[in-house]
Amino acid sequence: MAAGGATPGEPRPGELRPDELRPGELRPGELRIVGTSVAREIDLLLDRVAQSIGKRTPRVLQVGSRTLVADRNVRNWRKLVAKRFGPKARFIGLDLIEGANVDCVADICSDPRTLKGKLGEEPFDLAICCHVLEHTRHPARAARNIEQALRPGGLAYVTAAWSQAFHAAPDDYWRFSVRGLMLLFGRLEVASSFYSGGDVGLDVAYRIERDGRPELDPRAGAVEQGLFQLVLDHEDNRAVLARQATERLPVSRTYLPSLFVNLVGRRVSR
């Protein structure tokens, strides 16, 4: 008999066998869809920054920082960083055009030496690039510049459109999947990934995980398709189009919501 009265290999009273699960519990290796919010994920991001810098004051870069009147659902990153790390946190807002919340006018797709001359030599602890990449002419160049701007262990938070109507600001070129962002930011180790919605006032997000880690295998795309794609029959499709305030042309019965992919990556020490 083993200690506690159990025979060798048998669980003690109250323990589960390896092949047993409690109600609602997932088996190891199973996919899990986790409901969350962008606000919650940003809190977790800032927790990661705090852990990485210790007692040091963080240096933060926001790419595409200009505040527009139409931006009703855009977070004020400068205030978020100051609230979390205090007024001594060093924040630089970068944008193509001068305006509110812009400290440095430059193109993130510039030559690295030109960009470093604008931003300074000191690396950043956090780089924020939200709703910018789809508007850049050279997203791979932008991604490389963001990677190079980070110190080893520094974090990048990237949000890009996966499904969204055309919106020229000043133009609109690209759409990205999570796998696409991983290719662009190949020097970053993925710490987190999630999907978020686009409606004003609706802060919903979803992570797809396996064993508590982001599921990044392309085969998980079938899960994503089932979560976010809607296919209507012909009668329902006609009814939806008829209820629109302005004319819509019936080109498809398959619809996607405004959907954004979000990636948190850490620059590895190399």
Side-chain angles (χ1 to χ4, degrees), residues 20-77:
E20 292 180 324
L21 289 172
R22 299 188 188 280
E25 196 172 355
L26 289 174
R27 295 183 182 278
E30 287 186 340
L31 283 177
R32 184 184 181 201
I33 300 163
V34 180
T36 180
S37 68
V38 178
R40 172 60 177 159
E41 296 301 316
I42 289 174
D43 284 343
L44 294 174
L45 168 69
L46 297 179
D47 286 345
R48 288 189 171 99
V49 175
Q51 292 170 4
S52 69
I53 64 173
K55 296 182 179 180
R56 185 166 47 80
T57 301
R59 191 167 189 251
V60 179
L61 171 67
Q62 182 183 3
V63 179
S65 63
R66 186 165 55 103
T67 302
L68 302 175
V69 175
D71 291 339
R72 296 175 294 165
N73 203 32
V74 175
R75 286 169 172 78
N76 188 321
W77 283 98

Side-chain angles (χ1 to χ4, degrees), residues 16-197:
L16 294 175
R17 295 177 182 273
D19 60 346
E20 292 180 324
L21 289 172
R22 299 188 188 280
E25 196 172 355
L26 289 174
R27 295 183 182 278
E30 287 186 340
L31 283 177
R32 184 184 181 201
I33 300 163
V34 180
T36 180
S37 68
V38 178
R40 172 60 177 159
E41 296 301 316
I42 289 174
D43 284 343
L44 294 174
L45 168 69
L46 297 179
D47 286 345
R48 288 189 171 99
V49 175
Q51 292 170 4
S52 69
I53 64 173
K55 296 182 179 180
R56 185 166 47 80
T57 301
R59 191 167 189 251
V60 179
L61 171 67
Q62 182 183 3
V63 179
S65 63
R66 186 165 55 103
T67 302
L68 302 175
V69 175
D71 291 339
R72 296 175 294 165
N73 203 32
V74 175
R75 286 169 172 78
N76 188 321
W77 283 98
R78 190 183 298 269
K79 287 186 178 179
L80 286 171
V81 169
K83 181 179 179 181
R84 181 59 186 270
F85 299 104
K88 292 185 178 180
R90 294 167 293 169
F91 190 99
I92 296 179
L94 174 76
D95 204 281
L96 273 172
I97 304 172
E98 291 184 353
N101 200 43
V102 177
D103 304 299
C104 177
V105 177
D107 186 351
I108 190 60
C109 301
S110 299
D111 175 87
R113 289 173 295 181
T114 300
L115 197 59
K116 186 170 285 190
K118 293 270 190 176
L119 296 174
E121 294 289 332
E122 187 179 356
F124 291 89
D125 300 289
L126 172 64
I128 302 153
C129 181
C130 294
H131 309 291
V132 173
L133 285 180
E134 59 263 39
H135 304 291
T136 61
R137 290 178 178 270
H138 306 286
R141 193 180 300 169
R144 182 56 54 88
N145 283 337
I146 291 171
E147 289 175 334
Q148 291 180 345
L150 293 172
R151 69 174 71 253
L155 293 160
Y157 173 46
V158 182
T159 301
W162 171 233
S163 170
Q164 189 179 21
F166 179 84
H167 55 296
D171 213 330
D172 191 2
Y173 302 105
W174 317 101
R175 295 294 179 267
F176 300 92
S177 65
V178 171
R179 301 288 298 179
L181 290 185
M182 289 173 60
L183 282 176
L184 283 179
F185 292 89
R187 293 183 178 181
L188 301 184
E189 176 185 73
V190 177
S192 176
S193 68
F194 60 96
Y195 294 89
S196 57

Side-chain angles (χ1 to χ4, degrees), residues 246-260:
T246 56
E247 183 181 13
R248 296 289 189 275
L249 300 179
V251 296
S252 175
R253 294 185 299 113
T254 302
Y255 298 93
L256 283 168
S258 292
L259 188 66
F260 303 100

